[in-house]
Amino acid sequence: MERGIAMANIIEDETIEYVSILAKLELSGEEKEAAKRDMGRMLDYIDKLNELDTSKTEPLSHVFPVQNVFREDKVTNEWSREDMLANAPERTEEAFAVPKTIE
């Protein structure tokens, strides 16, 4: 028992092998044992957090208060067709000219 946290969650060797394969890690025997202890401590801490009464706690979507900083969309017709086609590499009278893609 380290730092007052009980090791109730025992991690098996197969679990460490599976996680190391998923993470594409090659772990030595010593590193596998350390990972088992660390994962066990993490799960124990999660169990400890699950003991807390959060029934009166409001859920958060963000830690800090966030406001929408986007402007409202407004439809405007600031550009004329001629303005939009002014820099077109190729064009017809009223549209961009592009290579034919379907025969």
Side-chain angles (χ1 to χ4, degrees):
M1 185 154 88
E2 292 183 35
R3 295 186 214 161
I5 297 176
M7 292 291 291
N9 292 293
I10 305 300
I11 307 299
E12 297 179 5
D13 292 335
E14 294 83 17
T15 304
I16 293 298
E17 281 293 324
Y18 182 66
V19 170
S20 66
I21 289 169
L22 291 176
K24 297 183 180 181
L25 297 173
E26 292 182 24
L27 301 174
S28 68
E30 186 178 295
E31 290 170 326
K32 288 178 185 177
E33 289 302 315
K36 283 172 55 174
R37 284 191 306 272
D38 289 344
M39 287 178 74
R41 275 190 247 137
M42 285 184 249
L43 293 174
D44 287 339
Y45 187 70
I46 291 168
D47 287 344
K48 190 75 171 168
L49 290 175
N50 284 334
E51 294 174 12
L52 296 173
D53 178 20
T54 58
S55 61
K56 296 177 184 174
T57 305
E58 228 179 279
L60 297 174
S61 61
H62 200 279
V63 178
F64 302 106
V66 178
Q67 295 177 341
N68 186 354
V69 295
F70 301 111
R71 64 172 170 77
E72 187 176 328
D73 285 338
K74 294 179 187 173
V75 178
T76 62
N77 291 324
E78 295 179 17
W79 298 82
S80 69
R81 179 172 292 156
E82 191 56 42
D83 289 338
M84 289 188 278
L85 293 172
N87 293 319
E90 292 185 40
R91 60 185 265 195
T92 63
E93 289 182 26
E94 297 183 354
F96 289 93
V98 296
K100 186 175 184 181
T101 58
I102 300 176
E103 300 218 14

